[in-house]
Amino acid sequence: MKKLMEHYYIKEGFAEMDFDAVTRLLAATHWSHGISRAEVEKASSNSSLVVGIFNEADEQIGFARLVSDKTRFAYFMDVIITPELRSSGIGEQMIQYMLNHPDYTDVYQWMLVTTYAHDFYEKCGFVRTNRAENLMERVLPRNR
């Protein structure tokens, strides 16, 4: 557990997360609308790093996870902060914590997809890709 800002701290690891709180946060988003706790837990258990932001009452107010080989590549997913605390700096500190995590010092390609948060991620050192012609995807309907 590491203190981030006054009244907030970060925990990492699957066992440390409050998956009821994480599911509530993610289920309200456009990218995971209606997601189930089982899906959140399965995705998290198969991620290389999961982190959560907690307040002094030990309530989880933020979450993010990485999919990575811990050598060359890491992909941010499900980055979320409770709406009333967005733009407070907590999310940026969570991302910096993950970018500077000792297990990922060899990683040189960090990626993510965002629809609305470009300005936020640019503050964390990300840039819009100039390789869009190289990126490909295959999207299937989500099982519910």
Side-chain angles (χ1 to χ4, degrees):
M1 178 170 51
K2 178 186 175 192
K3 189 140 182 125
L4 284 184
M5 302 174 79
E6 188 176 355
H7 310 297
Y8 300 99
Y9 57 95
I10 193 163
K11 293 181 187 179
E12 67 177 77
F14 182 86
E16 298 293 331
M17 300 301 110
D18 174 352
F19 284 107
D20 285 334
V22 174
T23 302
R24 277 192 304 276
L25 286 169
L26 290 175
T29 67
H30 69 278
W31 73 86
S32 293
H33 183 74
I35 196 169
S36 70
R37 179 179 169 144
E39 189 175 353
V40 172
E41 285 191 27
K42 183 176 181 180
S44 297
S45 71
N46 288 303
S47 296
S48 61
L49 178 65
V50 293
V51 300
I53 306 294
F54 294 79
N55 62 21
E56 290 178 319
D58 205 35
E59 299 164 324
Q60 188 159 0
I61 54 90
F63 178 79
R65 64 189 182 95
L66 281 178
V67 175
S68 178
D69 61 10
K70 297 184 181 182
T71 306
R72 298 171 46 207
F73 180 83
Y75 184 79
F76 278 94
M77 298 184 75
D78 294 334
V79 177
I80 188 80
I81 299 291
T82 192
E84 58 272 13
L85 291 171
R86 292 181 189 154
S87 299
S88 68
I90 295 170
E92 188 175 343
Q93 286 194 27
M94 180 173 65
I95 296 298
Q96 292 301 332
Y97 175 89
M98 297 171 81
L99 288 168
N100 294 303
H101 193 282
D103 289 350
Y104 299 86
T105 58
D106 292 334
V107 172
Y108 55 88
Q109 184 175 21
W110 298 82
M111 294 190 74
L112 58 87
V113 172
T114 186
T115 303
Y116 305 111
H118 297 84
D119 292 342
F120 167 77
Y121 289 109
E122 286 170 352
K123 286 192 272 183
C124 298
F126 286 84
V127 296
R128 296 170 197 242
T129 184
N130 60 0
R131 300 181 332 159
E133 69 280 353
N134 295 351
L135 295 174
M136 297 180 70
E137 68 179 354
R138 180 175 181 237
V139 179
L140 303 173
R142 188 169 129 222
N143 293 331
R144 293 196 179 212

